[in-house]
Amino acid sequence: MGGASNSITACINFLALLCTIPIVITGIWLASSKQGGEECARLQARWPVAILGGLLFLVAVAGFAGAYWNRKGLLAAYLFAMGGLITLLLALLVFAFAVTRGSGAYEVPGRAYQEYRLEGFSAWLRGYVLDGEGDPRRWGRIRACLAASDTCRKLAGERGSAFFVAPQQFYQSDLSPLQSGCCKPPTACGYAYVAPTAWTSPAASPGGGADAAADCGLWSNDPGQLCYGCASCRAGMLGALREQWRRASAALVAAAVALIVVYVIGCSAFKNAHTEDLFRRYKWPNNT
């Protein structure tokens, strides 16, 4: 009975160990992502996922060892620590969903791609692309990183120029948030298409509000300038980060749900094993 109970508890804790692996992988992916220029903005909230995933993995290893070698003290410590870490994971997920709730995206008539405005994102996210008292040169560094990345170079390269022969082909393309916000002027500016990153100035004054008008004056056909100084580029960066977080959150939620289910089963198995141990220790001797 005791050996079977220990084996069941060890198997349950091994399942808990497996459930932590997707969290670790997602955390590492978030912390080290180098795709599409998104690495230019390092959010402080990226590393906590990797650290929390690592702690969950270590605690799960301790729980499996405790169950495998029948160390009741180690198992009790594992259950206590795992409960706290799962609570932190849920709190982090709630926070991530709260700050990425607004997308900042809006549809443009006659365009397949979306454009982005800063006002549509949460104040917490906007703080990472607006120069503040804590870091007055933050966007300057992000801007330099974007200019050095291949975000717009891919769009303006030989493949892009060959693919977008006519303006309508470009208008119906699926641009990423960064390409939409940083590599071209906002549609409201009224610029005429020449190439993916080359546009001619409109004859009339731009519409679309103060932000769009300010962006229109900042646009340059210079590959090192483009719209990297525009509010639309900052919004595009937030749109790219939001998409990344949303993809990661889907994996984290699935792993968290599985981990909670296995954890509850593990608590029940530990309780039953402890009850059997007490019964065997104090009840059976009286029957001999």
Side-chain angles (χ1 to χ4, degrees):
M1 286 285 290
S5 178
N6 290 342
S7 298
I8 293 172
T9 306
C11 289
I12 293 171
N13 282 276
F14 182 71
L15 290 177
L17 176 62
L18 294 179
C19 290
T20 65
I21 294 176
I23 301 174
V24 175
I25 294 174
T26 303
I28 295 173
W29 176 74
L30 275 174
S32 61
S33 180
K34 296 185 181 297
Q35 49 186 330
E38 294 164 14
E39 75 277 8
C40 293
R42 290 295 183 187
L43 292 184
Q44 293 177 359
R46 289 180 172 192
W47 279 109
V49 178
I51 295 171
L52 187 58
L55 290 174
L56 283 166
F57 180 79
L58 292 176
V59 170
V61 169
F64 174 72
Y68 188 80
W69 283 289
N70 195 25
R71 299 291 188 267
K72 295 294 192 295
L74 188 58
L75 269 176
Y78 150 76
L79 292 174
F80 177 80
M82 184 62 77
L85 291 175
I86 289 175
T87 302
L88 287 176
L89 176 61
L90 293 176
L92 183 61
L93 283 172
V94 170
F95 173 77
F97 274 109
V99 299
T100 59
R101 184 177 179 182
S103 70
Y106 62 94
E107 302 291 336
V108 182
R111 305 290 189 268
Y113 50 78
Q114 293 180 316
E115 295 189 354
Y116 299 81
R117 57 169 64 95
L118 283 173
E119 292 74 15
F121 295 97
S122 67
W124 188 87
L125 272 181
R126 289 200 304 271
Y128 277 89
V129 294
L130 296 176
D131 297 328
E133 295 179 1
D135 192 354
R137 295 184 296 274
R138 178 184 293 137
W139 180 252
R141 291 194 297 270
I142 296 175
R143 174 177 174 171
C145 177
L146 283 172
S149 72
D150 61 358
T151 300
C152 295
R153 283 202 299 267
K154 284 183 177 179
L155 203 61
E158 291 183 3
R159 286 185 62 187
S161 299
F163 183 76
F164 304 121
V165 177
Q168 197 61 29
Q169 290 176 305
F170 181 81
Y171 298 152
Q172 296 304 311
S173 61
D174 183 20
L175 301 183
S176 70
L178 279 173
Q179 289 174 332
S180 175
C182 305
C183 306
K184 64 170 190 59
T187 302
C189 294
Y191 277 74
Y193 175 88
V194 177
T197 57
W199 301 71
T200 57
S201 301
S205 299
D211 285 345
D215 284 356
C216 298
L218 292 172
W219 168 259
S220 171
N221 286 330
D222 180 351
Q225 298 295 324
L226 299 182
C227 219
Y228 294 130
C230 301
S232 64
C233 187
R234 301 179 191 226
M237 171 61 76
L238 295 186
L241 292 175
R242 180 183 181 273
E243 286 186 357
Q244 187 185 73
W245 266 100
R246 287 287 172 157
R247 291 195 299 268
S249 294
L252 288 174
V253 168
V257 170
L259 187 60
I260 290 171
V261 171
V262 173
Y263 176 75
V264 170
I265 296 173
C267 288
S268 177
F270 175 77
K271 181 180 177 181
N272 291 338
H274 188 61
T275 301
E276 289 178 7
D277 186 55
L278 289 175
F279 179 82
R280 190 170 58 252
R281 188 176 301 175
Y282 298 109
K283 198 76 173 176
W284 287 1
N286 295 333
N287 294 332
T288 57

